[in-house]
Amino acid sequence: MRSIARSETLFARARNCIPGGVNSPVRAFRAVGGTPRFIARGEGPYLYDVDGNRYIDYVCSWGALLFGHGFSPVREALLEAMGRGISYGAPTEAEVELAELICRLVPSIEKVRLVNSGTEATMSAVRLARACTGRPHIVKFEGCYHGHADSFLIGAGSGALTLGVPSSPGVTPGAARDTLLAPYNDLEAVEALFAAHGGQIAAVIVEPVAGNMGCVLPRPGFLEGLRRLCDRHGALLIFDEVMTGFRLAPGGAQERYGVIPDLTTLGKILGGGLPIGAYGGRRELMDQVAPEGPVYQAGTLSGNPLAVAAGKAMLGSILADPGLYDRLEEQAGMFEAELRARFARFGEPVWINRAGSMMGIFFSAEPVVDYRSATGSDTRRFARLFHALLHEGVYLPPSPFEAFFLSTAHTEAVLEATLEAVSRALEGQSG
Ligand SMILES: *Cc1c(COP(=O)(O)O)cnc(C)c1O
């Protein structure tokens, strides 16, 4: 690796004018230490920093880049759209086409509203669920991330399972009171919440595969159980598929696991790297949204022509390639098996979770199935691996609690180069 002098200089300047030097906290490398790399460009599976170092990228813009950096159908769609202006604040044909594509691909969605981020999608979906049920509370799972709206920045209080407390200053106790928490994969805890607060619970919101405490899979029966409990108690089930949507199947986790939620939120891959989000669901629920119904939600740039053009190119490319997800599964499965073999060779106890092209590595001898087991892993060991791999030209997410992703640009040769880097990193660290 060459120097990182320019990244260091930029980071110093950035910290002077941007909180922590970054526009989203994890980018600052606080979880692993060191200097974040300032990126000059991305191409295929690679990131290039401002000092000219090249990295094989497993962040993929936090999952958005299913086809890698600079995917030409998206670039061409953007150039074409840009030739016709940037934003109109009035309806367009392209947003109708994108909405039709989303309805066609995602099983639970009959009508959809476009917004500008995943955060907007989840906060709007929760408002809609509260309006449709006339109930105040939501159930969320520890370690699941649904964006930074007040009702989601809630942690488990000490002792009592059911009482949420603000996990950020600035969130009011009132907001915390309306969010009930349960451990991921723990149906009994959800059942207990319904027993205690059933008539007050508007919705259960869940990442159907959790990707914000590392990658944590739903136990067999977990999602089905949530569906059953929501039905029994008249609550809505919200799948937050901002990460899993178009990642695990054309129709997301709901297609992969065959459990159909009432409302679904989308983002990330939907924009192919541009800012976009969406929430959708059954017709009669979505018809409660303004101006059709009374539930207010709006956006100056919602349905922005550039974001919509990128979205159409992404979903069009997914539709055009029926073998896409099988190939990703196969590549990622081989990669996972090889990773396991390399860690085993060095006697490192790791727990690897994977769903399709979404993965997480935990330094843990125990199964990682929820927030407690994820945070019980050896995070210092992860930080050392992160830096060793960065030095070898492999860019993992700078936190043990973020999933990493393969894209179609991660060819066998690229994966092989990554595995060699892993071996070198482990060799350098053993003994
Ligand atoms: C990324 C993410 C969000 C937030 O999306 P933003 O576009 O960052 O606001 C919400 N939910 C899940 C599951 C996510 O992965």
Side-chain angles (χ1 to χ4, degrees):
M1 196 176 69
R2 292 185 234 175
S3 95
I4 55 164
R6 293 185 66 176
S7 279
E8 281 169 342
T9 304
L10 280 171
F11 194 40
R13 272 174 63 196
R15 274 179 309 198
N16 200 37
C17 54
I18 303 172
V22 292
N23 283 309
S24 195
V26 189
R27 299 178 196 173
F29 277 28
R30 295 273 171 112
V32 291
T35 303
R37 303 306 192 259
F38 281 65
I39 303 304
R41 67 188 177 95
E43 199 182 309
Y46 301 114
L47 283 176
Y48 296 83
D49 71 15
V50 288
D51 292 286
N53 300 298
R54 188 183 83 171
Y55 307 94
I56 303 174
D57 178 24
Y58 288 90
V59 178
C60 296
S61 196
W62 304 99
L65 305 180
L66 183 65
F67 301 103
H69 293 275
F71 182 51
S72 54
V74 169
R75 268 173 33 186
E76 282 155 25
L78 286 174
L79 287 171
E80 209 244 328
M82 242 180 326
R84 286 178 275 116
I86 305 291
S87 181
Y88 322 122
T92 63
E93 181 173 4
E95 67 194 322
V96 182
E97 290 168 350
L98 181 58
E100 286 170 349
L101 279 171
I102 294 170
C103 294
R104 184 169 149 199
L105 286 173
V106 184
S108 66
I109 299 187
E110 294 175 348
K111 269 195 179 182
V112 64
R113 168 62 60 82
L114 298 180
V115 294
N116 301 292
S117 68
T119 294
E120 265 189 73
T122 53
M123 65 184 231
S124 306
V126 162
R127 179 180 305 141
L128 178 60
R130 285 177 167 146
C132 290
T133 57
R135 299 172 176 184
H137 294 336
I138 59 168
V139 173
K140 88 171 273 288
F141 294 93
E142 280 175 80
C144 280
Y145 179 70
H146 304 295
H148 61 85
D150 283 4
S151 37
F152 304 121
L153 295 184
I154 310 296
S158 57
L161 169 77
T162 60
L163 282 183
V165 295
S167 64
S168 164
V171 174
T172 64
R177 250 197 322 275
D178 286 333
T179 299
L180 311 174
L181 279 138
Y184 197 75
N185 272 323
D186 189 342
L187 271 183
E188 274 173 30
V190 182
E191 219 161 346
L193 288 177
F194 272 114
H197 308 276
Q200 297 296 303
I201 295 173
V204 173
I205 185 167
V206 67
E207 288 181 74
V209 172
N212 288 284
M213 47 176 154
C215 178
V216 174
L217 309 191
R219 281 202 178 105
F222 177 59
L223 300 174
E224 291 85 346
L226 294 180
R227 179 68 277 176
R228 211 168 41 242
L229 283 171
C230 285
D231 288 343
R232 188 182 307 155
H233 295 277
L236 299 182
L237 179 59
I238 305 173
F239 274 7
D240 180 356
E241 298 229 41
V242 170
M243 187 182 288
T244 54
F246 315 110
R247 167 61 59 185
L248 298 182
Q254 54 198 270
E255 176 181 337
R256 187 180 170 105
Y257 293 99
V259 177
I260 308 302
D262 300 292
L263 294 171
T264 298
T265 56
L266 299 166
K268 296 196 169 106
I269 289 175
L270 178 60
L274 270 84
I276 200 169
Y279 66 106
R282 282 200 311 281
R283 191 171 298 277
E284 76 268 18
L285 297 175
M286 291 306 292
D287 279 343
Q288 297 302 308
V289 176
E292 193 75 37
V295 182
Y296 194 69
Q297 183 271 309
T300 301
L301 296 179
S302 295
N304 169 265
L306 297 185
V308 166
K312 270 181 56 190
M314 289 299 286
L315 301 198
S317 301
I318 286 168
L319 269 170
D321 183 356
L324 171 64
Y325 292 90
D326 287 342
R327 286 202 312 280
L328 279 169
E329 177 76 50
E330 194 181 336
Q331 291 277 78
M334 277 172 5
F335 187 59
E336 178 199 351
E338 282 294 322
L339 272 181
R340 283 183 192 287
R342 307 217 175 204
F343 282 105
R345 196 173 308 155
F346 289 92
E348 289 261 12
V350 290
W351 187 267
I352 299 179
N353 285 328
R354 180 180 71 82
S357 54
M358 170 178 169
M359 302 174 70
I361 297 178
F362 300 92
F363 285 93
S364 168
E366 307 295 318
V368 176
V369 297
D370 57 14
Y371 185 66
R372 182 185 296 241
S373 45
T375 51
S377 67
D378 187 344
T379 55
R380 299 237 296 273
R381 179 68 190 92
F382 179 89
R384 282 201 292 134
L385 176 75
F386 170 84
H387 279 292
L389 282 176
L390 200 63
H391 187 77
E392 297 287 347
V394 172
Y395 192 95
L396 287 185
S399 160
F401 305 123
E402 301 288 348
F404 65 89
F405 305 95
L406 268 59
S407 78
T408 56
H410 291 70
T411 58
E412 240 170 272
V414 171
L415 296 177
E416 189 52 45
T418 306
L419 291 165
E420 291 308 307
V422 169
S423 287
R424 284 196 302 275
L426 292 176
E427 226 152 70
Q429 296 185 339
S430 64

